[in-house]
Amino acid sequence: MVQFLMDEKAARIASLKSEEEQKSQLMKKKTEDMSRKISHLSDMIKVIEKELKAEDMAFLQNFKATKERTQYPLPDPRLVSGSLIDVAKHLGNLQFRVWEKMQGILKYTPVILDPNTAHPSLYLSDDLTSVTRPGTHQLLPDNPERCMKYPDVLGSEGYNSGIHSWQVEVGHNLQWFLGVARGNDDRKGELGVSAKEGIWCIMLDGGKYRAGGSMDLTLKRRPRKIRVQLDYEKGQVSFYDSKDMTLIYTHEDRFTGKVYPYFNMGKAADYNKTSMKICQSECDYCPVS
């Protein structure tokens, strides 16, 4: 965003300088034209003064031609229309127009990962929208929120009302767990992936798709992207294949307290392919008051 604003500032200044140069050249051309006319008129005055000093007969013989030369029109110098800088073009609605252009680079992701909950084996991207598990552990504080037993990470924002959805790219990962989880449970000990334990999810584990850790699911194809939709009031967490929005499974329960987006990278040995990314969504609102 800082780089965008710097580039936009440079572009605005360049546009202003370009207009200034164009209009300076126009005024220079007008000035040079006026100078040529004045110089020509000065030369004519010298010729006429010379003829006035000539003999009377010669002056009278050339009087008609001399009179015509004295009738040289030289308009009053006036400012040319449009010669001033178009201030309105450069400053009118400036903030709004910059914001409009900024929408082209703004990236909105409905879920942001919380690094304070991430297991030490998980590496989050700088924008906190993707997670990888390269097979090494980081030295991180053992704070109360951090998941220490399993390779889990939670979303930064919890929900206790409304309908929320996000799309996750699971790619070719051999193992993953997706859903929502209560945020107030102890994540440092043994905890099963079930509604009883405060986790409502689906998973790919050992080549099989399951719901809640026990129910086998039959899918017509291996999904690359999965949409998770939470309806808090209805007590539903639904999962869809993003390709055609085919329903995979729906958990139904009664939520109490906040629930958070839940991600688990599993314990697959192929660490190089172990990654998940939260997909961007259209930013369809205007944060301008």
Side-chain angles (χ1 to χ4, degrees):
M1 289 179 66
V2 171
Q3 186 60 51
F4 168 81
L5 291 174
M6 291 175 65
D7 293 343
E8 186 65 18
K9 177 182 176 182
R12 296 286 172 176
I13 292 174
S15 176
L16 181 61
K17 287 184 176 180
S18 176
E19 182 181 349
E20 182 183 25
E21 179 65 22
Q22 291 175 4
K23 293 189 173 179
S24 294
Q25 290 296 326
L26 176 63
M27 296 308 298
K28 182 180 179 181
K29 183 178 179 181
K30 293 290 184 181
T31 301
E32 290 175 349
D33 184 55
M34 185 69 70
S35 297
R36 283 195 299 269
K37 290 180 179 180
I38 292 174
S39 177
H40 180 66
L41 185 57
S42 298
D43 293 340
M44 287 180 59
I45 291 173
K46 291 177 181 179
V47 172
I48 292 172
E49 289 176 342
K50 183 177 180 181
E51 290 180 354
L52 287 172
K53 295 177 181 179
E55 296 179 357
D56 293 342
M57 184 57 68
F59 176 75
L60 291 173
Q61 288 176 343
N62 298 322
F63 176 75
K64 185 176 181 180
T66 301
K67 182 180 179 181
E68 290 177 353
R69 287 201 299 270
T70 62
Q71 306 301 314
Y72 187 83
L74 189 64
D76 295 335
R78 294 183 179 179
L79 195 62
V80 179
S81 177
S83 60
L84 299 179
I85 296 295
D86 190 348
V87 178
K89 181 183 78 172
H90 295 286
L91 297 182
N93 286 323
L94 178 59
Q95 292 178 328
F96 178 76
R97 288 188 285 119
V98 171
W99 174 79
E100 273 192 318
K101 291 182 67 176
M102 188 177 286
Q103 289 186 90
I105 67 161
L106 286 177
K107 299 178 180 180
Y108 168 69
T109 307
V111 170
I112 298 299
L113 301 174
D114 184 357
N116 294 337
T117 67
H119 186 272
S121 68
L122 302 182
Y123 289 69
L124 307 187
S125 61
D126 290 340
D127 61 0
L128 305 178
T129 63
S130 64
V131 53
T132 58
R133 189 165 182 242
T136 59
H137 279 59
Q138 307 168 85
L139 184 60
L140 298 175
D142 185 10
N143 51 300
E145 305 89 351
R146 191 172 306 283
C147 305
M148 297 299 292
K149 180 67 177 179
Y150 301 105
D152 297 346
V153 61
L154 302 181
S156 61
E157 182 181 359
Y159 309 113
N160 56 12
S161 64
I163 299 175
H164 309 272
S165 66
W166 55 95
Q167 183 171 263
V168 183
E169 185 176 328
V170 295
H172 297 278
N173 290 349
L174 302 178
Q175 199 173 33
W176 48 259
F177 301 72
L178 289 176
V180 299
R182 285 197 299 259
N184 57 355
D185 287 317
D186 181 9
R187 299 292 174 193
K188 302 186 183 302
E190 295 288 341
L191 199 63
V193 284
S194 67
K196 181 180 178 181
E197 305 289 353
I199 298 177
W200 297 265
C201 71
I202 63 170
M203 66 193 72
L204 171 61
D205 185 19
K208 295 182 178 181
Y209 292 93
R210 295 190 178 94
S214 58
M215 182 182 296
D216 288 344
L217 300 174
T218 301
L219 280 65
K220 62 181 182 181
R221 61 170 169 265
R222 185 172 183 173
R224 298 291 180 257
K225 294 180 181 179
I226 293 177
R227 179 174 294 277
V228 184
Q229 180 166 301
L230 166 69
D231 190 327
Y232 192 94
E233 279 73 21
K234 288 186 177 180
Q236 294 180 343
V237 185
S238 299
F239 302 86
Y240 301 86
D241 182 342
S242 295
K243 186 173 183 179
D244 57 6
M245 289 304 291
T246 300
L247 178 64
I248 298 174
Y249 186 76
T250 297
H251 282 286
E252 294 189 350
D253 207 333
R254 182 176 178 272
F255 302 124
T256 57
K258 284 189 175 183
V259 294
Y260 293 76
Y262 168 80
F263 309 85
N264 181 303
M265 299 296 293
K267 297 181 179 180
D270 191 358
Y271 290 113
N272 291 331
K273 292 183 180 180
T274 306
S275 66
M276 284 195 290
K277 180 176 179 59
I278 303 164
C279 302
Q280 296 172 9
S281 298
E282 291 294 328
C283 187
D284 56 359
Y285 63 93
C286 174
V288 177
S289 59

